[in-house]
Amino acid sequence: MKGTQRKLTCPKCGKAFTAWRPDDLPGALVKCYFCGNQFEDDAARRKPAAPPPAPAPAPEPAAAEPKAN
């Protein structure tokens, strides 16, 4: 699973702790290790990234015209 560890401070008890922030679930809530309060961090408030645009289809090669003999 891709992601990063972030140092966060609980808004309820004020204690600092580190939490794993997965890249796949940007809106997941964080749970304080000390008091159990669940809250959103900055990453959870952001809108999920838009999927990358699909690559443009490759142009089809032109058919070779037969040579007249």
Side-chain angles (χ1 to χ4, degrees):
M1 179 188 296
K2 293 181 181 180
T4 56
Q5 280 192 332
R6 287 290 179 88
K7 188 169 185 176
L8 304 167
T9 302
C10 177
K12 185 176 179 182
C13 68
K15 294 184 180 180
F17 62 96
T18 56
W20 181 259
R21 303 305 296 143
D23 290 339
D24 298 340
L25 301 170
L29 295 176
V30 178
K31 187 172 184 178
C32 176
Y33 295 156
F34 300 103
C35 69
N37 180 40
Q38 287 190 342
F39 61 95
E40 293 180 324
D41 67 337
D42 294 340
R45 291 185 194 118
R46 279 184 278 166
K47 293 181 180 178
E60 294 182 19
E65 294 182 20
K67 293 182 180 179
N69 288 341

